Amino acid sequence: MSPAPAASSPSPDTDAVPIIEPELPLEPELDAAVATATNGRRPGLLRRLAASVEDPVLRILVIATLISRVGRGIFLTVTVLYFTLIVGLAPHEVAIVLGAASAAGVLSSLAGGWLADRVSARRLLIVLSIVDGVGLICYVFAHDFASALVIAVVVGAVEQAANSTRMAIIARAFDGGRRVHARAVLRTVTNVAIAVGSGVGALALLAGTADAYRWIIVGAGVMYLAGVTQLVKLPRSVDAPTHVPSPASAPTATAATPDTTDAAADTTTAGPTDAAPRRSRFAHSPWRDPRYLGLTALSAIFGMQFGVGEVGVPLWIANDTNAPEVLVAVVLILNTVIVVLFQVPLSRGTHDLRRAGRVSAIAAWLMAAACLVYAAAAGLPAGFAIAVIVIAAIAHAFAEVLSQAGGWGLSFELADPVRAGTYQGVFSMGYSLGAMVAPLFVTSTALTFGLGGWAILGAVFLASGLGTWAIARVAARTSTPAA
């Protein structure tokens, strides 16, 4: 674990009401790049984003993500209608196919991180991306429930394994605040690319023919394969080391927690050389790290807020409010705009454990408030309902941005660097579990019980976010002696 770096001014006590400083310092490398590019003037958003990808590894990942995620946006736009109108699946069959794909992703998230610690992470990501692209193209050959199910499970599993591998690469290629910054930049690019892909996918919806759907899906797969042309440029430095580093040979050992340092020291002094790797793998397992498992569980619970946006809000607008259904698209666009504009600046500094805890707490309060405001839209006249839902959507979007920033910082800083891939795989698996459970949980609370259900959702999000804050607060205190 990297120690929380000392800030230029003392951080507020985490026992106090959590706040975000209005101005956060840039990372040193980014600050220098921005200053050079703008002759010392405060840069605009585009200049800051351009300067933020000066690092060659991040630039490769950004270009690959930009290309492949356009394909993802295309596919997400046409998936459900393709299954129902072209393949001819019943609604319950579509639900089973999508649910099975999510379930496969739960296990593959862990497997992807585990493999990234044992084989070349860059080669693994290349192979998974190729299989992902080919899998998308194979959807044009789905003609019944069974074939659609098999393809969806394979694509869902490969997609999540690739995500875990990508997280492991980020964990090794960067350190401190650069990790969170890289993750925030990639998420911003992802949202932009998916928005573009959604517009392209709309062409198939306008045409409405089977050939249009199939050709647009082939195009989505080709975009995935085109992204691989960038991934092959990744350097060998993103791969896992061939041996477990000792305190004497690896700088990262000095940043580990006391327990991790002791474990690493034991592997270098006890027993024969051939026994050391076996003991080190056991000592550095995330399954023996209750703090990290707790963080993963709480992040998975808070991650169900994506289910609120994807399932709860659209159905709530359509069935329980007087707002027009087109508001669903407006809310989606509003969310995308907020993520694109604010994910990078609000993620800055969250590699500091205290700051990561504070933004997680703020996200918890915002999400709890958003749930109650969503509920208030029921029964209001159309104009008032629209205004209330937009206010809730803004709070929801900022809760999403802040929760992601805090979660990334904690997931990187509390992980043992010796097994970065496995730790990130466990963390990604938690998110996959949350995504799988979210639709059922949201529909069985907010959409079933109305105001009471939304209150339950808000309480769950508040408890999980404040729990994450508590973990960060304790970790910040105990990491000071190690630093």
Side-chain angles (χ1 to χ4, degrees):
M1 181 193 76
S2 301
S8 57
S9 59
S11 298
D13 187 358
T14 51
D15 286 324
V17 176
I19 60 170
I20 297 181
E21 293 82 353
E23 289 291 338
L24 299 179
L26 292 172
E27 300 303 325
E29 300 91 340
L30 180 57
D31 191 22
V34 171
T36 302
T38 60
N39 297 322
R41 298 189 304 274
R42 182 165 181 81
L45 175 64
L46 294 180
R47 282 184 175 271
R48 290 177 63 81
L49 287 176
S52 69
V53 294
E54 286 296 319
D55 183 274
V57 173
L58 181 55
R59 185 164 58 249
I60 291 169
L61 292 175
V62 163
I63 297 174
T65 299
L66 185 62
I67 297 172
S68 63
R69 288 321 185 202
V70 169
R72 188 66 178 169
I74 294 172
F75 182 73
L76 290 175
T77 303
V78 304
T79 303
V80 174
L81 291 180
Y82 176 74
F83 283 150
T84 55
L85 301 179
I86 309 303
V87 182
L89 302 185
H92 73 277
E93 290 177 324
V94 174
I96 292 173
V97 168
L98 298 180
S102 297
V106 172
L107 296 177
S108 67
S109 296
L110 180 60
W114 185 86
L115 286 171
D117 281 339
R118 288 157 178 80
V119 300
S120 169
R122 58 194 177 90
R123 292 178 182 173
L124 178 61
L125 183 58
I126 290 170
V127 170
L128 291 173
S129 298
I130 292 174
V131 175
D132 208 357
V134 173
L136 288 182
I137 295 174
C138 286
Y139 271 112
V140 302
F141 302 108
H143 297 293
D144 54 22
F145 171 72
S147 58
L149 179 63
V150 171
I151 296 171
V153 167
V154 172
V155 171
V158 171
E159 177 79 17
Q160 292 304 317
N163 286 341
S164 294
T165 305
R166 195 176 294 106
M167 290 283 282
I169 288 175
I170 292 172
R172 294 196 189 98
F174 309 98
D175 58 5
R178 299 294 293 175
R179 291 172 179 157
V180 181
H181 172 75
R183 194 71 178 84
V185 169
L186 289 176
R187 185 160 190 261
T188 300
V189 171
T190 296
N191 276 268
V192 172
I194 287 179
V196 173
S198 298
V200 176
L203 298 177
L205 303 183
L206 290 174
T209 64
D211 285 342
Y213 274 96
R214 292 192 175 102
W215 277 112
I216 207 74
I217 288 176
V218 170
V222 170
M223 294 298 290
Y224 265 75
L225 297 177
V228 176
T229 61
Q230 295 298 313
L231 297 178
V232 297
K233 301 177 183 179
L234 285 171
R236 294 179 182 272
S237 59
V238 302
D239 292 337
T242 56
H243 65 283
V244 176
S246 64
S249 62
T252 54
T254 61
T257 59
D259 291 342
T260 303
T261 305
D262 292 341
D266 289 344
T267 62
T268 60
T269 58
T273 303
D274 58 352
R278 187 179 304 109
R279 293 188 61 187
S280 63
R281 284 196 296 270
F282 186 71
H284 295 279
S285 170
W287 301 109
R288 292 173 56 83
D289 189 339
R291 180 177 64 184
Y292 201 84
L293 293 178
L295 170 67
T296 298
L298 292 172
S299 297
I301 293 171
F302 201 93
M304 289 194 296
Q305 58 89 12
F306 288 107
V308 172
E310 295 167 1
V311 178
V313 172
L315 293 178
W316 182 252
I317 290 174
N319 300 327
D320 296 274
T321 75
N322 294 317
E325 294 181 3
V326 71
L327 186 60
V328 174
V330 174
V331 167
L332 176 61
I333 293 171
L334 180 62
N335 178 274
T336 301
V337 170
I338 289 175
V339 170
V340 169
L341 293 179
F342 294 101
Q343 186 67 75
V344 172
L346 291 185
S347 297
R348 195 172 301 123
T350 53
H351 63 288
D352 180 275
L353 297 178
R354 290 183 176 86
R355 188 166 294 170
R358 288 197 296 274
V359 300
S360 297
I362 295 171
W365 287 106
L366 283 174
M367 194 61 214
C371 288
L372 296 178
V373 178
Y374 278 133
L380 294 177
F384 288 105
I386 291 172
V388 167
I389 290 172
V390 167
I391 292 171
I394 292 173
H396 184 174
F398 277 103
E400 176 185 328
V401 167
L402 292 173
S403 67
Q404 292 285 279
W408 294 334
L410 293 171
S411 72
F412 286 129
E413 295 302 314
L414 297 184
D416 189 327
V418 174
R419 289 288 176 258
T422 305
Y423 269 77
Q424 295 307 316
V426 168
F427 191 75
S428 297
M429 184 189 69
Y431 263 103
S432 298
L433 279 170
M436 185 176 65
V437 173
L440 177 61
F441 186 71
V442 171
T443 54
S444 61
T445 53
L447 301 183
T448 301
F449 298 106
L451 176 60
W454 281 108
I456 293 173
L457 270 181
V460 169
F461 289 131
L462 183 61
S464 60
L466 294 181
T468 302
W469 177 35
I471 289 178
R473 168 186 160 189
V474 173
R477 290 177 176 174
T478 57
S479 67
T480 302

